[in-house]
Amino acid sequence: MLVRGATPGVSTVYALQYGCRAGVRGEHFLGWDAASGERHDIAYYAWLVLSADRTILVDTGMDPAADPPLTGWSFRTSVPALLAGSGIAAAGVDTVVLTHLHYDHAGGVRSLPRARVFVQAAELAYWAGPAAKRNTREAWLSDRDDLGHVAALLDTGRAVALSGDHEVAPGVSAHLVGGHTAGMQIVAVRTASGPLVLASDALHFFENAETDRPGPILHSMPDVYAAFDRARELAAGGTVVPGHDTSVPTRLGIGQAPSLPVGVTRLA
Ligand SMILES: [Zn+2]
């Protein structure tokens, strides 16, 4: 069973790992070198933030029907399936923060009928703009149905286009950093054990920050580095959670109720 934050404005945090696949280092670290061909696995996550009265999802995973041009899957489920297995109804999610609009972060948004969705205006503008249309090499990273769904939610007022930092709930704030994508945002959460920052793809792997080395998919190099610093600063000595590191459950997990589905790990 999932545990919620006990006092107002304090949340628990769970990683929902919905996929894992074998890759190589060259896919994950900018700059070809002698190690670029070595195997380097990648995990796929969304994150659940639970206060006494709020159920917040940070990213929504990949559409279960999506077929990205990737191989080597060892494990794949979906965020809606992990939520259901954890006893959270799709209609029970009240808030969604989309850190960015890549297919592996915004793909489950259509399965959440009631959530208010927060996304950065700069991210929406990029994917609707001319550069995204010309950059065909990047086309597979976004899904037309996800983008169309978010646009429709904006029209009805159920999605909010942010311009910068915003408190989405007591103790939970979104911070525009850019870098990886035009409107990449990260999420800071107040937890009983201190601040925790869900860096999503501002930091794919622990190694990106440890070696100050960006990933190869990026919008602005200076903003990638500024995002490393901002994540650290917001965590204030607490925890920064990278978006795709397979070792998150072992490095940051604080124990798992046996009743929870495989892939669900409590982080705070
Ligand atoms: Zn990602």
Side-chain angles (χ1 to χ4, degrees), residues 18 42-45 47 59 99-100 102-105 180 200-201 204 243-244:
Y18 67 87
I42 176 167
Y44 295 77
Y45 301 95
W47 301 271
D59 288 340
T99 63
H100 60 304
H102 281 167
Y103 75 101
D104 56 331
H105 295 262
H180 173 59
S200 182
D201 291 3
H204 288 71
H244 286 277

Side-chain angles (χ1 to χ4, degrees), residues 25-238:
R25 288 181 59 82
E27 292 174 278
H28 302 151
F29 299 99
L30 183 66
W32 190 263
D33 61 25
S36 293
E38 288 175 8
R39 179 166 167 178
H40 189 265
D41 290 2
I42 176 167
Y44 295 77
Y45 301 95
W47 301 271
L48 187 61
V49 176
L50 300 173
S51 69
D53 58 352
R54 300 291 295 268
T55 300
I56 300 168
L57 199 52
V58 175
D59 288 340
T60 56
M62 197 184 296
D63 181 344
D67 188 21
L70 298 168
T71 56
W73 294 97
S74 56
F75 167 65
R76 190 164 156 197
T77 176
S78 71
V79 171
L82 290 172
L83 286 174
S86 304
I88 303 266
V93 176
D94 56 71
T95 304
V96 165
V97 180
L98 294 177
T99 63
H100 60 304
L101 293 174
H102 281 167
Y103 75 101
D104 56 331
H105 295 262
V109 69
R110 284 169 274 152
S111 67
L112 301 163
R114 288 164 51 88
R116 190 142 197 249
V117 176
F118 292 92
V119 62
Q120 290 287 334
E123 185 74 6
L124 293 161
Y126 175 81
W127 291 107
K133 287 184 183 67
R134 287 175 66 173
N135 190 353
T136 52
R137 188 188 59 82
E138 221 185 51
W140 68 280
L141 288 170
S142 74
D143 181 311
R144 279 173 176 282
D145 293 338
D146 299 338
L147 298 181
H149 184 76
V150 173
L153 293 183
L154 284 165
D155 289 342
T156 63
R158 194 149 74 74
V160 181
L162 302 175
S163 297
D165 297 1
H166 185 75
E167 185 172 69
V168 297
V172 183
S173 50
H175 301 267
L176 172 64
V177 293
H180 173 59
T181 63
M184 174 86 215
Q185 59 184 342
I186 63 179
V187 178
V189 184
R190 195 185 309 144
T191 78
S193 49
L196 178 144
V197 172
L198 297 169
S200 182
D201 291 3
L203 197 77
H204 288 71
F205 304 97
F206 290 107
E207 188 177 337
N208 294 117
E210 288 163 356
T211 63
D212 226 14
R213 186 173 177 182
I217 296 173
L218 58 84
H219 179 77
S220 157
M221 181 78 81
D223 287 349
V224 165
Y225 281 115
F228 288 175
D229 296 343
R230 186 79 174 120
R232 234 178 251 131
E233 180 187 300
L234 287 165

